[in-house]
Amino acid sequence: MHQIDGKTRVCGLIGNPVEHTLSPMIHNFLADEMGIDLAYVPFEVKEGALGEAILGAYALNVLGLNITVPYKSQVIGCLKGIDPLAKKIGAVNTLVRQDGGYVGYNTDMTGLRRAILSQGMKIKDENVILIGAGGAARAVAFLCMEDGASHVWILNRTLSKAETIAGQLRNAYGKDNVTVLSLSDYDKIPKGKYLALQATSVGLKGKSDMAAIEDDAFYEMIHTGIDLIYNPTNTKFMRLVNSHGGKAYNGLMMLAYQAIDAFELWTGISISDEVTSRMLEMLSEKTAQ
Ligand code: ATR
């Protein structure tokens, strides 16, 4: 157990609610593994108190913060600076202390990028199918454009939400390589093999016997499927991808790498592949309980 003393640096998570977060476990594990004198704690911040909380954290010499629901967009108004990708996405999940205030980053997306690269996959020149058009899907869509996907097909139950995202992507990147479809219209996607990213909430614990699309014909088109969900660790989407010969991954790697990216930004050290594997093992055990 880490000994807290007068030199211990504090990092934390701001959100509401925060009780079910895995972030303290992850960051305190990394601090222990790397021998860094850092403690990470959850801060529940009530509606209306975000600005005070960020100013207070800065005054208390807090080294870094993660930001979660419902504050990922709102926090942008409380920053000294913002990373260009986070700015385009319009969502920040990591704050790094600098002279005069915090600078915001989106390590959810750099973490997803790193998770994909770590498995020998890529987004560049891929034809991507993105399922969902909520907050998480929106960020993934920006990452796909940022990293040079060849074409992005956004499938969503509510077409208008997917259209809004597509419009924002066209504006931000000046390209017309995004197509929007309803969930049942996947057969309009040209024949081929696709990288699919599952960013709906369907399949989460409680709805684990469901997938947003369940037709066999859809899964024939997928060479690799990444579900952003990590609880349960094996979702119906993943089972359907696997049973049609594709490779499937859950959201644990993305969770791990968003934390690693944040930890590296705060401390300036790099986390080795070996520590990352140990952390993934620990996370798989914890989420399986
Ligand atoms: P998050 O922040 O996790 O992205 P969200 O913004 O509430 O959460 O988005 C949830 C996503 O899951 C949306 O794409 C939503 O589809 P709609 O835009 O049509 O609401 C999708 N979703 C949720 N329940 C669904 C269901 N039963 N069937 C299909 N899609 C569903």
Side-chain angles (χ1 to χ4, degrees):
M1 176 65 190
H2 184 94
Q3 188 64 51
I4 291 177
D5 60 26
K7 295 201 196 73
T8 305
R9 295 307 305 266
V10 176
C11 287
L13 171 72
I14 283 182
N16 186 15
V18 290
E19 290 111 83
H20 300 296
T21 176
L22 293 172
S23 293
M25 195 171 77
I26 296 175
H27 286 288
N28 291 316
F29 174 89
L30 288 175
D32 277 354
E33 284 277 328
M34 305 308 294
I36 303 249
D37 191 5
L38 182 153
Y40 184 104
V41 285
F43 296 117
E44 183 184 286
V45 171
K46 296 278 189 241
E47 200 189 331
L50 181 67
E52 277 172 84
I54 303 290
L55 282 174
Y58 190 79
L60 289 168
N61 201 27
V62 169
L63 177 66
L65 289 161
N66 282 134
I67 307 292
T68 189
V69 176
Y71 299 127
K72 287 187 187 185
S73 301
Q74 201 186 322
V75 76
I76 293 172
C78 311
L79 301 176
K80 183 202 172 214
I82 184 165
D83 164 76
L85 176 61
K87 189 173 178 185
K88 274 189 196 156
I89 296 169
V92 158
N93 80 313
T94 298
L95 268 50
V96 178
R97 185 182 185 86
Q98 282 193 2
D99 275 350
Y102 291 104
V103 175
Y105 293 82
N106 190 313
T107 72
D108 288 330
M109 286 311 108
T110 56
L112 175 60
R113 171 193 282 152
R114 208 161 149 181
I116 289 172
L117 293 174
S118 77
Q119 296 306 304
M121 303 182 282
K122 61 180 175 52
I123 290 175
K124 188 160 174 45
D125 301 328
E126 281 288 322
N127 285 305
V128 179
I129 297 176
L130 170 61
I131 312 163
R138 195 173 165 281
V140 173
F142 272 84
L143 180 72
C144 289
M145 295 301 285
E146 189 75 20
D147 285 7
S150 174
H151 200 104
V152 182
W153 304 80
I154 308 178
L155 311 188
N156 198 45
R157 180 178 61 178
T158 312
L159 209 54
S160 60
K161 280 166 74 178
E163 273 160 0
T164 302
I165 296 177
Q168 291 170 342
L169 295 175
R170 288 185 196 113
N171 265 341
Y173 294 93
K175 285 188 181 173
D176 197 18
N177 58 345
V178 184
T179 307
V180 163
L181 292 171
S182 65
L183 294 174
S184 56
D185 275 348
Y186 62 80
D187 56 349
K188 298 207 169 118
I189 300 174
K191 293 268 162 299
K193 286 285 187 183
Y194 293 80
L195 166 66
L197 295 154
Q198 197 306 112
T200 74
S201 49
V202 186
L204 277 171
K205 214 169 190 167
K207 282 190 275 178
S208 55
D209 58 341
M210 287 162 61
I213 301 173
E214 300 202 336
D215 304 4
D216 288 321
F218 175 69
Y219 291 92
E220 292 293 337
M221 302 164 64
I222 297 176
H223 66 74
T224 308
I226 302 175
D227 201 328
L228 266 58
I229 292 173
Y230 56 80
N231 192 7
T233 47
N234 190 12
T235 63
K236 178 142 193 206
F237 169 80
M238 292 168 63
R239 292 196 292 277
L240 285 164
V241 169
N242 277 148
S243 66
H244 291 85
K247 277 192 186 175
Y249 300 88
N250 63 27
L252 270 184
M253 270 193 315
M254 177 181 163
L255 176 75
Y257 279 112
Q258 66 74 25
I260 288 172
D261 270 3
F263 195 89
E264 290 182 347
L265 283 167
W266 295 329
T267 62
I269 60 162
S270 357
I271 304 295
S272 65
D273 291 348
E274 204 190 323
V275 170
T276 305
S277 315
R278 277 206 289 279
M279 188 168 94
L280 280 166
E281 218 168 279
M282 182 272 294
L283 279 174
S284 303
E285 278 168 25
K286 292 284 178 191
T287 44
Q289 281 167 10

